Amino acid sequence: MKQRTLSIIKPDGVRKNLIGEVIKRFEQNGLTPIAMKMLHLTKAEAEGFYAVHKGKPFFESLTTFMSSGPIVVMILEGENAIDLNRTLMGATNPSEADEGTIRRQYADNIEQNIVHGSDAPETAATEIAYFFNALEVCPRP
Ligand code: ADP
Ligand code: MG
């Protein structure tokens, strides 16, 4: 089933000059970017995006990290895009991520793990709407 998911290259991924590398993996594995922008989130905007994690011990540090520099936000479209993206990303903790995944190869630790990807259709829809309006989405024919 053709799906859409939200992907973020986090501040560590941008700082490590991995924008091209990450997008190349998506394009070569059937995930097509149909919307894209670079942003520098405020702390409040990062807190809004990660509201589901409010109250967790890592929330303060996570939102400080996510507002520490520019990010690249994308909508990816493809067959089973949500699960496929998470497979390419690897587990949250890079030390537990499969060989060859983005996080295993590039992430420093469980917090600074290079990429975000939506985890379900409902969260994908909410996260896409957090960053993009209809005019900014450019589906391929
Ligand atoms: P994922 O990004 O794999 O969906 P979660 O939704 O559980 O993972 O967590 C969101 C983000 O919060 C993670 O990508 C990571 O940046 C951070 N995070 C998750 N768990 C921890 C933790 N135990 N300590 C520090 N940061 C964490
Ligand atoms: Mg998550």
Side-chain angles (χ1 to χ4, degrees), residues 10 50 53 58 62 86 92 103 110-111 113:
K10 296 182 178 184
Y50 275 121
H53 293 302
F58 58 83
L62 171 64
R86 291 197 62 100
T92 310
R103 284 167 163 174
I110 192 171
E111 177 182 270
N113 57 7

Side-chain angles (χ1 to χ4, degrees), residues 57-119:
F58 58 83
F59 182 73
E60 177 62 25
S61 174
L62 171 64
T63 53
T64 296
F65 162 57
M66 287 299 290
S67 55
S68 69
I71 60 173
V72 175
V73 190
M74 284 169 272
I75 304 174
L76 303 174
E77 188 170 72
E79 287 296 315
N80 292 313
I82 295 170
D83 285 349
L84 174 55
N85 181 37
R86 291 197 62 100
T87 299
L88 297 176
M89 289 162 57
T92 310
N93 188 342
S95 66
E96 292 166 11
D98 287 345
E99 207 66 55
T101 60
I102 294 167
R103 284 167 163 174
R104 175 62 173 262
Q105 196 164 347
Y106 297 114
D108 287 336
N109 54 60
I110 192 171
E111 177 182 270
Q112 308 210 2
N113 57 7
I114 308 289
V115 279
H116 167 84
S118 309
D119 62 6

